[in-house]
Amino acid sequence: MQHPPLAPVAEIYDLAVVGGGINGVGIAADAAGRGLSVYLCEQGDLAQHTSSASSKLVHGGLRYLEHYELRLVREALAEREVLLNMAPHIVAPLRFILPYRPHLRPAWMIRTGLFLYDHLGRRERLAPSRRLRFGADSPLKTEITQGFEYSDCWVDDARLVVLNAMCAREHGAHIHTRTRCVSARHSKGLWHLHLERGDGSRYSLRARALVNAAGPWVTDFLRESLRQRPAHAIRLVQGSHLIVPRLYDGGHAYILQNDDRRIVFVIPYLEQFSLIGTTDREYRGDPAQVTVTEDEIQYLLAVVNRHFKRQLQAEDIRHRYAGVRPLCDDESSDPSAITRDYTLVLNAEGHEPPLLSVFGGKLTTYRKLAEAALAELAPWFARMKPAWTHDARLPGGEDMSTPRDLTEALCTGAPWLPEALARRWAHSYGSRSWRLLHGLHVLADLGEHFGSGLYAREVDYLIAVEWALSVEDILWRRSKLGLFLDAQGRARLDDYLQRQTPERLPLFAAPDAATLRQA
């Protein structure tokens, strides 16, 4: 698949952002919505690395309380409610069960932590914590008779990134994937960026401010592209996850305590699976080449097998993934104890244009990080509008209440649409699902079927609207169908992508959902 036609390059942008992970797109969306002209480049696909390799949670960080990170926990707890409102199609409440293991943490400590968790941040739609007793029907081992339950949220991490990129574009930002910032120099009050596209072609642009949101490459970008010495060191901490057939019934998750005082989540995933993770292991290689190690596999399986009646083997693993978290080095010897808080470093001496570098951070607090970043840059943009994202909706979150209600509406508006497909679209695209259906009348109008409910119509939408170019982009980051589509279907999809061209793509700009439903 070739790149779509390039958006025109402004003579001078207000803000250039390097990095298409959650922090980069969050800053781009916030800035564009405040009236700044924004350019963002990402060397690979959106969310290709850290931001799609998370535990897929919007959470306050219960274990961060043990490290006294009360500000971070308070901010993250409040953001759960904000994100539930911003993206009700990809963010959902999730109850967590914490089995009680008296030799690891005393009950009073857990109760105190959960009391703080219930009251540190705003909680409107999330139920409070409570104590539990387990019966014979529990999937946990019989010696585990008590536990606790509390609330957090699940999120489709890669889609959260894509939706923020769409939001930025819809406010005028130019988003360029497969585009690397080779170098940047400042001269006469402006940044001059030299960029290279995936096809090897190069071009330049100028910007009044530069944001380094390169994630695991934040210090590499400073040293190699900017020829500057980083103000902070980062430590790359590898987090690995396993996906296995569903371990238990019910829509709740488990948070398991281990003897090393770390915790492991077991989370319902795509209805048929359980997601297990994560590890905390210092990583020193290329962030793009990180893979799950055998030691990590055995670690995660051992933690789960110490808690559940059903015993897992390596043969049960259906998929595995790993990513590295670029955490600001606080000189802690234990990778799991390194702060998940973010640090913003602003360089702007004399008449030099500002450079803002982002160190650390976590998925849950990306929106607050973006607000903080724009507050740092505000002195250079006197006409910048005020903060706005707190009450905004991300693309697809408009004109919808819940994915269940939207699924019913889609099936009513298009009776020929399979319910399972309507449900998946509602959870992925929200109210933008109506755009995929616009002008269609029968199932055959969806075009070629690659298997597992993936049709050409959806593929075209992902190419035209969501920057997808490869099989991996579509199956693992946009649709999560990589666990379902067989080798033959993947080959046919790859062939389709090779044949597709930007000129053949349909237009997906459409009336609002209410008009489409009437049509």
Side-chain angles (χ1 to χ4, degrees):
M1 175 64 201
Q2 300 176 356
H3 283 266
L6 292 171
V9 176
E11 179 157 344
I12 300 175
Y13 288 92
D14 290 322
L15 190 65
V17 181
V18 176
I22 189 59
N23 291 331
V25 296
I27 292 170
D30 194 344
R34 298 189 194 211
L36 302 186
S37 59
V38 177
Y39 173 95
L40 180 145
C41 67
E42 160 56 44
Q43 64 182 348
D45 182 30
L46 297 170
Q48 185 167 336
H49 298 291
T50 302
S51 295
S52 62
S54 76
S55 297
K56 310 191 189 310
L57 298 177
V58 168
H59 66 129
L62 183 61
R63 69 188 178 95
Y64 304 155
L65 291 174
E66 290 187 318
H67 303 298
Y68 306 106
E69 297 197 64
L70 297 183
R71 190 210 62 79
L72 175 62
V73 175
R74 180 184 293 108
E75 183 173 274
L77 288 172
E79 283 300 287
R80 298 177 308 178
E81 298 278 352
V82 176
L83 294 179
L84 276 168
N85 180 66
M86 289 179 72
H89 47 321
I90 64 164
V91 182
L94 183 62
R95 292 292 278 176
F96 285 79
I97 293 176
L98 192 163
Y100 176 48
R101 309 300 297 271
H103 66 288
L104 296 178
R105 289 173 176 86
W108 68 263
M109 178 182 292
I110 296 174
R111 285 196 299 268
T112 301
L114 290 176
F115 176 84
L116 289 172
Y117 213 67
D118 282 342
H119 294 91
L120 271 176
R122 186 184 64 165
R123 179 176 50 78
E124 295 179 359
R125 283 173 285 182
L126 299 175
S129 60
R130 61 173 183 157
R131 191 158 188 169
L132 300 174
R133 292 192 179 275
F134 305 125
D137 59 344
S138 170
L140 299 171
K141 289 188 172 181
T142 54
E143 63 266 25
I144 303 175
T145 60
Q146 299 181 60
F148 301 85
E149 186 180 54
Y150 68 95
S151 293
D152 264 324
C153 297
W154 182 89
V155 64
D156 187 329
D157 51 4
R159 292 208 57 76
L160 183 65
V161 174
V162 170
L163 296 185
N164 272 275
M166 290 173 63
C167 177
R169 181 180 59 198
E170 290 173 11
H171 283 91
H174 292 166
I175 309 295
H176 292 256
T177 62
R178 271 82 176 185
T179 302
R180 184 171 67 94
C181 183
V182 178
S183 65
R185 301 288 182 272
H186 53 77
S187 174
K188 298 180 180 179
L190 294 173
W191 282 102
H192 296 251
L193 281 69
H194 303 282
L195 303 121
E196 182 178 71
R197 303 186 186 97
D199 61 7
S201 61
R202 293 194 173 196
Y203 64 102
S204 300
L205 60 85
R206 293 176 292 171
R208 296 182 177 87
L210 176 62
V211 171
N212 172 13
W217 291 273
V218 61
T219 55
D220 291 346
F221 181 71
L222 284 167
R223 292 192 188 98
E224 297 170 13
S225 299
L226 303 182
R227 305 291 175 86
Q228 294 190 15
R229 183 177 179 179
H232 293 276
I234 62 167
R235 288 171 69 179
L236 300 181
V237 176
Q238 175 171 339
S240 295
H241 296 78
L242 310 177
I243 297 175
V244 301
R246 191 150 186 171
L247 268 173
Y248 54 87
D249 295 328
H252 56 278
Y254 285 89
I255 174 172
L256 310 178
Q257 303 177 80
N258 194 37
D259 292 342
D260 60 5
R261 299 190 68 80
R262 290 207 61 257
I263 55 93
V264 169
F265 294 111
V266 182
I267 304 164
Y269 190 59
L270 301 178
E271 298 182 357
Q272 299 181 28
F273 304 97
S274 291
L275 174 64
I276 302 169
T278 180
T279 56
D280 274 321
R281 171 181 176 267
E282 194 140 9
Y283 182 78
R284 298 186 183 279
D286 180 354
Q289 302 300 320
V290 61
T291 57
V292 183
T293 67
E294 186 61 31
D295 286 347
E296 289 177 304
I297 291 173
Q298 295 306 316
Y299 176 89
L300 293 174
L301 292 180
V303 174
V304 172
N305 288 339
R306 277 197 288 272
H307 287 81
F308 285 90
K309 294 172 183 174
R310 179 181 169 188
Q311 298 290 283
L312 291 175
Q313 307 295 328
E315 295 75 27
D316 295 313
I317 300 171
R318 296 292 180 267
H319 182 63
R320 64 195 71 177
Y321 65 87
V324 291
R325 299 183 288 274
L327 305 180
C328 198
D329 191 356
D330 59 6
E331 300 184 352
S332 171
S333 60
D334 180 4
S336 68
I338 303 173
T339 181
R340 268 57 175 172
D341 210 345
Y342 54 82
T343 299
L344 303 177
V345 177
L346 181 66
N347 291 332
E349 298 179 3
H351 297 290
E352 294 178 3
L355 164 67
L356 185 72
S357 295
V358 179
F359 294 83
K362 62 197 297 282
L363 192 73
T364 305
T365 54
Y366 86 89
R367 192 194 66 83
K368 293 293 290 185
L369 182 153
E371 286 189 340
L374 270 296
E376 291 281 352
L377 294 171
W380 286 268
F381 300 105
R383 296 183 180 179
M384 185 171 68
K385 297 176 183 177
W388 64 280
T389 57
H390 183 277
D391 298 313
R393 290 260 177 143
L394 288 173
E398 323 94 331
D399 193 34
M400 69 166 287
S401 53
T402 67
R404 176 181 293 182
D405 290 344
L406 179 57
T407 300
E408 293 179 0
L410 291 170
C411 290
T412 300
W416 48 267
L417 189 68
E419 183 180 354
L421 182 57
R423 183 167 56 251
R424 182 171 67 78
W425 281 9
H427 281 276
S428 296
Y429 310 114
S431 58
R432 299 296 173 98
S433 301
W434 296 107
R435 300 192 179 193
L436 279 81
L437 289 173
H438 188 44
L440 309 188
H441 306 286
V442 295
L443 186 63
D445 290 340
L446 291 176
E448 183 176 352
H449 184 221
F450 304 102
S452 302
L454 181 66
Y455 291 85
R457 178 72 173 182
E458 182 178 357
V459 172
D460 288 346
Y461 175 84
L462 294 175
I463 297 169
V465 179
E466 296 196 2
W467 298 275
L469 291 177
S470 72
V471 171
E472 183 176 321
D473 297 348
I474 290 169
L475 295 184
W476 293 107
R477 286 184 285 278
R478 303 305 191 280
S479 72
K480 304 299 186 293
L481 290 175
L483 284 162
F484 302 97
L485 198 63
D486 61 22
Q488 183 180 14
R490 291 194 295 270
R492 287 169 51 219
L493 174 59
D494 185 56
D495 179 66
Y496 181 83
L497 293 174
Q498 298 304 320
R499 291 184 281 111
Q500 190 60 285
T501 62
E503 296 77 21
R504 296 172 59 184
L505 292 173
L507 296 175
F508 287 93
D512 60 38
T515 303
L516 285 172
R517 284 198 293 270
Q518 293 171 4

